[in-house]
């Protein structure tokens, strides 16, 4: 009898891409819960809208490209993109904002580049940046964290939230407010201590900024789970957070009125933790080697700080990640590991090994 | 206790070793026929020394060969030669090769043979000659002639002798069993090699810690001697020669180099036991220990198998269930290659026959896109970037592939094993390596062609010049003649010229017979060039620089192509 000729290795460990993506999804749960607890139903609605839009878009494009739909949907990558975008958007943004963002992420940033594995830019962040530039008002209107709501006001319930998102009804006064990074951006002239005394967002915080600190802790926990399961290595996240912390120490300036804020505030505000563990770890668009990922992470940390401190936007994860995506292939060329039996690391561009 | 170094990467596939270790090494009934491939090692094939119909004794040489590059093969049992022809053999390419088939007579009668009891009095050169005569090729991997490994010609003296007892592939337990049951033989083998190598200062047995009984057996037998048994944590592929050298010494074999460049020699368990048998007992390499395992076999066990035993014979005695067999693998699951037929014979390098069930090794899942997750790079023992290699392999970017050190990939399969997208990475690397080798050969070919062309141009120019000179001289001579004699010579008419040209063309076009003879001559010449190239390659692999090796393998390849071409032409002609 004849047997099939199959090349080695024979057998495989049980891990597969769909499973890795599911792990990523599961690990967003703590962050998602913190967001929902602090800011109400908005993130949940974002999530549903984004996932439905993304899956529809992915299916449609796969059909146009004549690809087996079920096979590709099973890799869960579209869901991951949708979830990350949804969690980055402000709760209670109008539904069409989410739809436009998701479409951009899936259709333009991912599928038009060839689908999973071929996209040079992080799809969720492409969607985010498009939205931020096109709809600045919607994208910068954040909800007031739970404990800072004025007396007698609470977050809108599920139905009310839906009417805000889908029918455009206006939320009650006091439900929207500034974020810690907004406050630092707009309160020039005050020294840090004054800001901390004047702003309830800081004066009532446990360590960084009411509400936001816990959202960041949530994403930190999720990130540590992923680190533990080996979905990614520590290099990118640590380099990014480390650089961000280092920069905020260097420019802390004794808490003067010029100071862009403390390291703790930067690490636990805005999308810092989510960016570090869920955005820049997107393997497709990042640098490949561990050394490359150190540089890539550090570059993002640096850009985030520079834009936050001296740029026009209060937060900057999306811009920083996209800029670093541009740099990733370049970083890759110069960060090859040293192979066994070679005295030195090589460059990807060299034609002949330098002895 | 020696210090150990940890290799980067590595994986921990399920070991599946216990099932074949429940019983001691077994023996099989004599098979009715033995099929012995004549070429079982790296290097030149040897010439057949027997004829069909001839009776042979156990241990009788089947090929004429007696230098380092030309290993002989021997009859594994007594009987009659019934065929000398091309048969399917175990080779990843699935090609046929020349084999001697012996119908066994059941007497298993030995040829006269004698060993030497006191090898220490023997000159290492004679011992090496005996090892070559016994046909011993490395029994772990590629089948490199053992005597070549033992006589490194570079000036570096061998100071470290490493015994590779790692056996890191899942399922395989042949070395483990041998270490436990043939401990004495093994240690004698180590001593013989120690003597040949002029007693290197360090003798290290590298063994993974998943073989506690073998470790105990070795340690208890070699207490007083200077051999050190070093155990280290189990991890695939610690048993790769380069990896093991790093684990034990912290040094790396330079890219494209050999262990001998570091003053090291590395042999495996099977080879050492074969060396002991060759020297002390005078027995050539005619059997080896092979693991028969996998869920498609009712019995999982190690056997002392005669070289040439058809796999079907092994399977038949181990309750093989063909319908349940998902693949038949020679070697282990990580690096072994799949067999398409059960009729191929056991050869010197066959350490395992794995007949897996469908639940054990299911069919490969379809590959998904590379998500650049980097899991492959995390496990690569050579610190390569498998995902980048894959990327450039798809793009056929040979420059980038070489810059990413494709040729340092040991094809261990760790990357494919973990790839969540089920990409058959190793397969891509193999074909890229093939393409690059081919391109290099083409380049050398075209370089040669260019040289030839330039040389020819030069020659033509010189000839032209000479003609010019002569013509000038003639012209002068004619002018002089004309001056003295005014009669005009009659030139040849146009018709004459055409007739002469036709005549020439006629003679040029030879008959088919002539053409055939010509091609046959060309084939013979090409074959002898091929043989020569093979010899040179073996020589270069053993002693030469990487560059020499590359050049030799290139010329080997072009010689091979030439042979193929000529064969094809010949075939076309006879069709
Ligand atoms: S493990 Fe597979 S999917 Fe991941 S980077 Fe390597 S080749 Fe790509
Ligand atoms: S097969 Fe090659 S690239 Fe893959 S892990 Fe082994 S050495 Fe590295």
């Amino acid at each position: 009898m004849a047997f099939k000729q199959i090349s080695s290795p024979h057998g495989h460990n049980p891990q597969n891409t769909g499973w890795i993506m599911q792990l990523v999804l599961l690990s967003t749960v703590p962050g998602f819960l913190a967001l929902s607890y602090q800011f109400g139903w908005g993130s949940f609605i974002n999530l549903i809208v984004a996932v439905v839009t993304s899956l529809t878009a992915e299916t449609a494009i796969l059909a146009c490209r004549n690809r087996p739909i079920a096979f590709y949907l099973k890799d869960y990558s579209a869901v991951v993109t949708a979830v990350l975008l949804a969690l980055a958007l402000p709760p209670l943004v109008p539904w069409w904002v989410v739809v436009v963002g998701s479409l951009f992420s899936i259709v333009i940033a991912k599928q038009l580049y060839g689908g999973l594995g071929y996209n040079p830019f992080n799809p969720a962040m492409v969607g985010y940046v498009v939205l931020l530039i096109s709809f600045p008002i919607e994208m910068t209107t954040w909800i007031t964290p739970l404990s800072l709501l004025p007396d007698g006001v609470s977050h809108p319930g599920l139905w009310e939230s839906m009417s805000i998102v889908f029918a455009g009804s206006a939320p009650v006064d006091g439900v929207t407010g500034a974020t810690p990074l907004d406050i630092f951006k707009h309160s020039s002239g005050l020294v840090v201590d004054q800001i901390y005394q004047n702003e309830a967002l800081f004066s009532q915080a446990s360590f960084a900024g009411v509400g936001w600190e816990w959202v960041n802790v949530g994403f930190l926990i999720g990130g540590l789970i992923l680190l533990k399961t080996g979905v990614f290595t520590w290099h990118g996240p640590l380099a990014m957070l480390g650089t961000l912390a280092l920069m905020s120490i260097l420019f802390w300036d004794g808490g003067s009125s010029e100071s862009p804020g403390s390291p703790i505030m930067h690490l636990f505000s805005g999308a810092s933790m989510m960016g570090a563990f869920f955005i820049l770890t997107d393997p497709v668009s990042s640098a490949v080697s561990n050394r490359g990922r150190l540089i890539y992470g550090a570059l993002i940390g640096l850009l985030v700080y520079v834009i936050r401190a001296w740029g026009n936007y209060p937060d900057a994860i999306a811009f920083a990640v996209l800029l670093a995506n541009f740099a990733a292939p370049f970083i890759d060329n110069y960060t090859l590991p040293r192979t066994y039996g070679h005295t030195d690391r090589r460059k990807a561009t060299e034609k002949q090994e330098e002895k | 206790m020696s210090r150990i170094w940890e290799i980067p990467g590595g994986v921990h596939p399920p070991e599946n070793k216990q099932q074949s270790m429940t019983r001691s090494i077994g023996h099989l009934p004599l098979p009715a026929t033995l099929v012995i491939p004549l070429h079982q090692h790296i290097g030149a094939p040897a010439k057949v020394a027997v004829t069909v119909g001839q009776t042979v004794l156990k241990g009788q040489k089947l090929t004429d060969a007696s230098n380092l590059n030309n290993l002989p093969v021997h009859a594994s049992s007594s009987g009659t030669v019934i065929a000398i022809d091309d048969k399917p053999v175990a080779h990843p390419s699935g090609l046929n090769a020349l084999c001697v088939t012996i119908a066994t007579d059941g007497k298993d009668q030995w040829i006269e043979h004698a060993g030497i009891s006191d090898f220490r009095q023997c000159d290492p050169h004679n011992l090496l000659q005996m090892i070559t005569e016994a046909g011993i090729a490395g029994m772990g991997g590629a089948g490199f002639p053992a005597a070549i490994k033992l006589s490194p010609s570079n000036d570096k003296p061998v100071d470290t002798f490493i015994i590779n007892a790692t056996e890191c592939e899942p399922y395989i337990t042949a070395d483990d069993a041998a270490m436990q049951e043939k401990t004495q033989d093994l240690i004698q083998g180590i001593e013989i090699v120690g003597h040949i190598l002029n007693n290197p200062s360090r003798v290290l047995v590298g063994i993974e810690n998943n073989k506690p009984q073998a470790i105990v057996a070795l340690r208890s037998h070699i207490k007083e001697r200077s051999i050190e048994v070093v155990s280290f944590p189990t991890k695939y592929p610690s048993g790769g020669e380069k990896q093991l050298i790093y684990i034990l010494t912290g040094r790396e074999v330079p890219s494209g180099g050999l262990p001998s460049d570091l003053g090291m020699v590395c042999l495996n368990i099977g080879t050492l036991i074969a060396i002991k048998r060759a020297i002390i007992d005078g027995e050539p390499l005619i059997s080896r220990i092979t693991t028969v395992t996998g869920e498609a076999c009712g019995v999982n066990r190690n056997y002392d198998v005669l070289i040439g035993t058809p796999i079907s014979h092994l399977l038949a005695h181990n309750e093989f269930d063909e319908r349940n067999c998902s693949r038949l693998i020679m070697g282990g699951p990580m690096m072994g290659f799949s067999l398409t037929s059960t009729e191929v014979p056991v050869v010197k390098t066959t350490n395992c026959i794995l007949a897996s069930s469908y639940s054990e090794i299911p069919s490969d899942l379809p590959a998904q896109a590379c998500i650049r997750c980097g899991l492959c790079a995390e496990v690569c023992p050579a610190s390569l970037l498998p995902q980048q290699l894959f990327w450039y392999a798809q793009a056929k970017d040979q420059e980038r592939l070489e810059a990413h050190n494709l040729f340092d990939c040991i094809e261990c399969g760790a990357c494919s094993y973990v790839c969540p997208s089920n990409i058959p990475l190793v397969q891509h690397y193999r074909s890229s390596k093939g393409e690059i080798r081919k391109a290099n050969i083409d380049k050398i070919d075209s370089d040669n062609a260019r040289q030839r062309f330039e040389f020819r141009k030069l020659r033509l120019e010189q000839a032209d010049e000479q003609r010019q000179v002569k013509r000038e001289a003639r012209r002068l001579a004619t002018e002089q003649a004309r001056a003295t004699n005014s009669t005009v010579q009659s030139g040849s008419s146009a018709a004459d010229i055409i007739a002469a040209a036709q005549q020439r063309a006629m003679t040029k076009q030879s008959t088919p017979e002539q053409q055939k003879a010509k091609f046959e001559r060309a084939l013979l010449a090409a074959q002898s060039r091929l043989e020569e190239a093979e010899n040179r390659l073996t020589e270069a692999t053993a002693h030469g620089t990487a560059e020499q090796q590359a050049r030799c393998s290139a010329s080997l390849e072009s010689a091979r192509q030439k042979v193929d071409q000529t064969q094809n032409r010949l075939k076309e002609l006879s069709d």
Side-chain angles (χ1 to χ4, degrees):
Chain A
M1 118 148 212
F3 293 92
K4 265 181 291 176
Q5 183 150 10
I6 310 159
S7 77
S8 64
H10 311 277
H12 194 274
N13 76 353
Q15 217 161 31
N16 65 51
T17 297
W19 169 236
I20 288 186
M21 297 285 180
Q22 289 174 45
L23 258 181
V24 173
L25 289 176
L26 280 178
S27 308
T28 58
V29 168
F32 169 70
L33 289 181
L35 269 173
S36 304
Y37 178 76
Q38 295 293 347
F39 303 107
W41 286 99
S43 296
F44 175 71
I45 300 173
N46 282 351
L47 204 109
I48 302 292
V49 176
V51 169
V52 170
T53 317
S54 297
L55 284 179
T56 315
E58 178 107 336
T59 310
I61 300 278
L62 285 172
C64 294
R65 294 176 64 205
N66 270 328
R67 300 293 155 105
I69 293 168
F71 178 74
Y72 281 98
L73 288 188
K74 264 199 330 232
D75 65 28
Y76 282 88
S77 59
V79 184
V80 169
T81 301
V83 168
L84 294 181
L85 177 66
L87 297 186
L89 295 178
L92 299 184
V93 280
W95 63 273
W96 46 267
V97 171
V98 188
V99 169
V100 170
S102 308
L103 286 178
F104 243 93
S105 299
I106 297 293
V107 179
I108 312 274
K110 181 177 167 194
Q111 289 291 350
L112 287 193
Y113 278 102
L116 178 63
Y118 297 95
N119 46 301
F121 302 106
N122 184 317
M125 290 303 103
V126 172
Y128 185 90
V129 162
V130 167
L131 295 178
L132 187 57
I133 293 173
S134 321
F135 315 111
I137 309 237
E138 286 82 355
M139 288 294 288
T140 46
T141 311
W142 270 86
I143 306 295
T144 311
L146 184 64
S147 54
L148 292 187
L149 287 174
D151 282 343
V153 177
S154 63
H155 283 138
L158 181 56
W159 284 114
E160 207 189 331
S161 302
M162 304 239 296
S163 83
I164 296 171
V165 171
F166 291 103
S169 3
V172 197
D173 254 8
V175 165
T176 57
T179 70
L181 292 168
D182 289 337
I183 292 176
F184 263 89
K185 182 107 275 175
H186 299 301
S187 53
S188 48
L190 294 176
V191 300
V192 173
D193 274 348
Q194 283 171 314
I195 301 179
Y196 271 62
Q197 275 160 21
N198 294 351
E199 293 289 343
L201 205 50
F202 292 112
S203 59
Q204 293 181 27
S206 305
F207 56 94
V210 176
W212 289 95
E213 52 199 19
W214 297 115
V215 170
N216 274 281
V217 167
F219 284 113
L220 173 62
I221 293 171
L224 293 178
I225 294 174
L226 288 180
L227 209 52
K228 186 88 189 73
T229 50
V231 167
F232 50 70
T233 59
W234 54 267
H235 303 80
L238 192 75
M240 182 248 173
L241 295 175
T243 313
L244 186 58
L246 187 73
M247 289 297 287
S248 40
I249 292 170
L250 285 179
F251 294 94
W252 165 238
D253 201 20
S256 74
S257 56
E258 294 295 310
S259 171
S262 75
I264 295 292
M265 198 276 291
H266 275 287
L267 290 178
F268 288 91
S269 293
S272 298
M273 289 298 166
M274 183 185 179
F277 290 102
F278 290 88
I279 304 295
L280 72 81
T281 50
D282 162 41
V284 177
S285 54
S286 92
V288 291
S289 66
N290 287 341
R291 209 177 148 86
R293 284 180 178 170
L294 276 177
I295 297 176
Y296 176 80
L299 180 64
I300 292 176
L302 182 75
L303 287 169
V304 166
Y305 187 82
V306 168
I307 302 177
R308 276 185 186 176
W310 303 296
N312 273 333
Y313 289 89
D315 202 356
I317 300 287
F319 288 112
V321 168
L322 291 184
L323 286 172
N325 287 165
F326 271 110
F330 179 76
I331 297 174
D332 285 342
N333 281 348
Y334 298 96
T335 49
L336 302 191
R338 184 189 65 83
T339 305
Y340 181 106
H342 291 258
T343 44
D344 256 318
R345 55 183 75 246
R346 297 180 69 174
K347 295 185 201 71
T349 45
E350 71 184 19
K351 304 233 150 73
Q352 199 97 94
E353 184 160 16
E354 291 157 16
K355 293 273 176 182
Chain B
M1 194 52 217
S2 276
R3 176 179 164 197
I4 53 170
W5 282 260
E6 204 197 332
I7 52 165
V11 288
H12 298 273
E15 290 178 16
N16 282 312
K17 289 185 185 254
Q18 66 292 343
Q19 51 269 57
S20 54
M21 285 303 281
T22 51
R23 297 195 224 178
S24 57
I25 300 172
H27 290 269
L28 292 166
L30 202 60
T33 53
L34 291 165
V35 179
I36 302 177
L38 296 183
H39 194 208
Q40 298 186 27
H41 57 92
I42 289 185
K47 293 203 174 54
V48 195
V50 290
T51 52
V52 176
Q54 186 178 339
T55 51
V56 288
L57 293 174
K58 179 172 184 159
Q60 182 172 340
K61 263 212 248 179
L62 299 177
T63 52
D64 255 343
S66 44
N67 63 41
L68 288 186
N69 305 327
N70 243 336
L71 282 189
V73 293
H74 303 79
S76 332
S77 186
S78 58
T80 317
V81 176
I82 53 170
I84 302 175
D85 56 0
D86 280 348
K87 289 231 159 51
V89 293
H91 191 269
S93 68
L95 293 176
N96 291 1
L98 197 59
C99 298
V100 169
T101 310
I102 298 170
T104 54
D105 58 12
K107 291 187 230 151
D108 208 23
Q109 193 183 354
W110 267 103
I111 197 169
E112 220 176 286
H113 60 283
I116 42 176
S117 49
D118 196 359
F119 61 84
R120 288 206 166 77
Q121 302 306 321
C122 237
D123 182 54
H125 278 294
N126 297 343
L127 295 178
L128 284 177
Q129 187 60 34
M130 286 176 78
I131 290 172
T132 305
E133 281 287 313
I136 300 176
M139 287 160 71
F144 205 78
I148 295 188
K149 277 194 162 189
L150 289 176
S151 46
S153 76
N154 36 11
D155 309 322
K156 243 192 151 61
V158 174
D159 57 17
T160 310
F161 169 34
I162 291 173
I163 294 104
N164 190 344
T166 323
E167 205 164 47
C168 61
E169 273 255 14
Y171 285 98
I172 311 179
T173 53
D175 286 352
D176 192 1
M179 282 187 279
Q180 294 182 38
E181 295 185 38
K182 302 190 188 276
T183 327
Q184 273 307 338
D185 287 6
L186 171 62
I187 289 170
Q188 275 187 301
I190 297 175
E191 287 169 352
I192 294 168
V193 171
H195 173 65
I196 294 176
L197 296 174
N198 196 16
N199 299 314
S201 52
R202 304 181 76 196
V203 180
L204 303 170
V205 183
I207 184 165
E208 283 187 336
N209 62 5
N210 61 354
K211 296 180 251 306
Q213 282 151 320
I215 296 174
V216 170
L218 287 175
R219 290 219 170 112
S220 64
H221 277 80
I222 51 180
K223 264 188 203 114
E224 271 92 43
R225 310 196 179 103
S226 61
I227 306 169
E228 201 178 338
V229 180
V230 186
S231 86
F232 45 84
T234 303
K235 175 161 94 173
Y236 179 84
S238 300
E241 190 173 72
K242 293 175 167 184
Q243 279 62 41
L244 180 62
I245 285 175
Y246 182 74
I247 292 172
L248 296 179
T249 66
R251 301 178 66 194
E252 294 180 9
V253 180
S255 173
L258 289 171
S260 59
D261 298 340
L262 302 175
M264 298 187 192
V265 161
C266 188
L267 291 180
N268 84 332
I269 301 298
T271 315
L272 286 162
I273 293 178
I275 288 177
K276 179 263 165 186
R277 288 223 201 133
I279 305 290
I280 309 283
D281 310 320
E283 292 178 9
L285 176 53
I286 50 164
S287 71
R288 65 154 300 137
I289 297 173
T290 299
T291 310
V292 181
T293 185
E295 281 175 7
C297 284
V299 179
N300 285 194
R301 187 174 188 185
N302 282 297
Y303 289 97
D304 198 345
V305 201
L306 296 178
I307 306 292
T309 306
I311 306 295
S312 54
H313 183 74
L314 278 177
L315 295 174
H317 287 87
N318 283 283
E319 299 166 18
F320 176 55
D321 178 5
E322 196 175 292
R323 279 157 313 163
N324 192 22
C325 181
S326 61
R327 27 187 125 173
L328 188 62
I329 300 161
M330 187 174 281
M334 298 300 287
M335 290 183 80
F337 51 93
S338 61
L339 300 176
T340 50
S341 144
T342 57
E343 286 318 307
V344 302
V346 168
V347 290
K348 292 173 184 173
T349 53
T350 308
N351 50 6
C352 181
I353 297 296
L354 169 58
S356 63
S357 69
Y358 285 97
S359 57
E360 206 172 9
I361 304 185
S363 309
D364 291 336
L365 294 169
Q368 290 169 288
C370 168
I371 54 168
R372 325 230 313 145
C373 61
L375 292 177
C376 48
E378 289 296 305
V379 301
C380 177
S383 301
L384 297 164
L385 292 174
Q387 69 276 55
Q388 297 294 79
L389 288 174
F390 170 61
W391 184 271
Y392 293 121
Q394 281 194 312
K396 301 210 181 298
D397 188 337
Q398 303 193 341
E399 260 172 28
R400 286 289 168 107
L401 282 171
E402 296 211 56
H404 281 81
N405 295 325
L406 172 66
F407 282 89
D408 290 296
C409 165
I410 58 167
E411 298 182 14
C412 67
C415 51
S416 312
Y417 178 77
V418 297
C419 174
S421 289
N422 295 304
I423 304 172
L425 295 164
V426 179
Q427 199 179 322
H428 286 278
Y429 305 153
R430 277 200 203 110
S431 61
S432 294
K433 283 181 185 174
E435 281 163 21
I436 293 179
R437 277 196 203 106
K438 170 120 194 349
N440 287 348
I441 291 159
D442 289 350
K443 185 172 172 299
I444 292 177
D445 273 357
S446 72
D447 283 353
N448 287 346
R450 204 186 50 236
Q451 269 177 16
R452 273 201 305 277
F453 173 73
E454 261 149 28
F455 182 67
R456 180 158 174 273
K457 220 167 72 185
L458 189 74
R459 223 180 44 219
L460 290 181
E461 276 166 11
Q462 285 171 346
D464 254 0
E465 246 168 60
Q466 281 169 4
R467 259 201 302 278
Q468 194 70 41
V469 174
K470 277 193 196 146
R471 213 177 288 141
E472 191 63 16
R474 253 205 315 275
R475 197 176 56 79
L476 285 175
T478 351
E479 265 170 21
Q480 272 175 2
R482 216 178 266 150
T484 50
N485 184 359
S486 61
T487 46
V488 179
Q489 305 235 320
S490 67
S492 39
S493 74
D496 283 347
I497 294 172
I498 292 169
Q502 276 171 344
Q503 180 68 34
R504 273 204 303 279
M506 287 281 286
T507 49
K508 247 195 195 152
Q509 205 159 58
S510 46
T511 64
E513 279 79 2
Q514 278 171 322
Q515 275 180 14
K516 188 155 174 247
K518 190 174 121 207
F519 281 135
E520 269 164 1
R521 275 200 307 281
L523 181 60
L524 273 180
Q527 273 166 343
S528 83
R529 266 200 299 279
L530 175 61
E531 204 169 303
E532 211 175 283
E534 268 168 346
N535 284 336
R536 269 205 309 274
L537 176 60
T538 335
E539 184 67 20
T541 329
H543 309 310
T545 64
E547 199 189 329
Q548 278 166 345
Q549 280 168 31
R551 202 168 300 134
C552 288
S553 55
S555 62
L556 175 64
E557 202 45 50
S558 70
R560 197 169 283 149
Q561 282 174 355
K562 189 86 195 171
V563 170
D564 285 349
Q565 269 171 18
T566 331
Q567 261 164 351
N568 285 342
R569 288 234 188 90
L570 209 53
K571 209 162 129 251
E572 272 166 28
L573 204 65
S574 44
D575 282 348

